[in-house]
Amino acid sequence: MVTSRHTYVVLLGAPGAGKGTQAERLESELGLPHIATGDLFREALKKETPLGLRAKSYMDQGLLVPDDVTVGMVRERLSKPDCAGGALLDGFPRTVEQATALDALLAEAGASVTVVPYIKVSTETLLARLAGRWVCPKCGAVYHMLYKKPANDKICDVCGTALYQRADDTPETQRKRIDVYFQETAPLIEYYASKGLLVEVDGERDIEQVHDDLLAVIRDAMDRAG
Ligand code: AP5
């Protein structure tokens, strides 16, 4: 599955912190595939596969999809040839159980997590970002109606498709997802800090500044890992 030289980056942060936005750019700069479990579930749902239909009921309520389903999906994705050198993980792991499963999965191939940049953002900012988010259904580009506007009203700059708001971006579901994050995902901050892998990045600043910090943190960890 992996070679001896590999880089696994876990982008940690609450819903709306900017994980997807940052990963979109880092993917090409680092030459690592961007694996977003939310995108994998949405893709499966679009194709109406059993996995997608099962995930839908959880996603619509702002709840996490069960660990066994999620870990199985990630295991399969990481076995693809493009992940031979590692991956940029966005939205996974999201529970301590998923984190230990990831450790075991990578250990099978003599690999381990390289670094965990934690994009720290206040709840107020998270809600403002989620409320203004519009996404391209075709190419996945992410916009914000205040902070990252498309050139033409609600049309994707990249592929010209009409943008939409995600089904789980209603005010009630946004709140629920943030609550679930604090209950189930925030313990990963301590999990990775205790392993010396966590690096906090101030996510309150603009997209460019956050990007520069993330790139520096990841490159530094890659250098140290040799
Ligand atoms: P998922 O798709 O992963 O959603 P999420 O974690 O809730 O993350 P988001 O995509 O909402 O936020 P983001 O951090 O990527 O922010 P973005 O870059 O878009 O998961 C959806 C669902 O799938 C889950 O609820 C769950 O049901 C299921 N699921 C997924 N993974 C799972 C797992 N591992 N286990 C179990 N279930 C799982 O940015 C947000 C907005 O802010 C955008 O408009 C952007 O333009 C803007 N923005 C970004 N950065 C900045 C900035 N610095 N300044 C100003 N604006 C900014």
Side-chain angles (χ1 to χ4, degrees):
M1 182 182 69
V2 291
T3 60
S4 55
R5 285 182 64 81
H6 56 263
T7 304
Y8 289 94
V9 178
V10 171
L11 277 183
L12 193 60
K19 304 180 297 295
T21 299
Q22 297 297 338
E24 208 173 285
R25 280 186 63 179
L26 292 169
E27 180 176 33
S28 55
E29 289 167 330
L30 297 167
L32 292 172
H34 170 203
I35 298 176
T37 38
D39 290 347
L40 293 177
F41 285 132
R42 280 183 289 277
E43 195 59 33
L45 181 55
K46 213 155 89 180
K47 293 181 184 154
E48 298 190 338
T49 67
L51 172 79
L53 296 172
R54 182 158 181 215
K56 180 179 169 18
S57 56
Y58 297 96
M59 294 170 83
D60 284 350
Q61 296 176 73
L63 300 173
L64 295 184
V65 179
D67 287 337
D68 59 332
V69 177
T70 308
V71 170
M73 179 179 73
V74 172
R75 173 187 281 275
E76 192 188 324
R77 180 65 188 88
L78 286 177
S79 71
K80 300 263 163 68
D82 64 326
C83 295
L88 191 52
L89 295 166
D90 157 8
F92 180 88
R94 237 166 162 114
T95 62
V96 171
E97 289 71 21
Q98 290 181 16
T100 52
L102 176 65
D103 288 344
L105 188 62
L106 298 182
E108 279 172 25
S112 60
V113 172
T114 309
V115 65
V116 182
Y118 162 45
I119 308 176
K120 190 174 181 189
V121 174
S122 68
T123 301
E124 197 188 356
T125 302
L126 295 175
L127 290 169
R129 288 188 185 169
L130 292 173
R133 173 167 61 186
W134 287 73
V135 184
C136 177
K138 193 170 174 198
C139 73
V142 179
Y143 299 88
H144 192 284
M145 286 307 146
L146 293 176
Y147 313 129
K148 195 186 172 207
K149 286 166 118 169
N152 295 309
D153 191 35
K154 293 174 187 156
I155 300 292
C156 180
D157 292 347
V158 182
C159 68
T161 306
L163 305 178
Y164 82 112
Q165 284 194 290
R166 271 172 42 180
D168 62 351
D169 269 349
T170 61
E172 307 74 49
T173 318
Q174 286 165 8
R175 283 266 175 205
K176 181 68 192 171
R177 283 159 55 211
I178 292 171
D179 287 349
V180 167
Y181 166 80
F182 282 113
Q183 282 162 23
E184 303 199 44
T185 308
L188 291 181
I189 297 169
E190 181 49 38
Y191 180 86
Y192 285 119
S194 70
K195 290 174 179 282
L197 293 171
L198 193 92
V199 184
E200 191 173 300
V201 169
D202 177 4
E204 293 284 340
R205 296 158 312 145
D206 67 32
I207 293 173
E208 204 58 38
Q209 290 172 308
V210 177
H211 163 266
D212 291 350
D213 267 17
L214 284 172
L215 190 61
V217 162
I218 298 167
R219 287 212 164 125
D220 180 52
M222 287 168 83
D223 287 348
R224 277 186 286 112

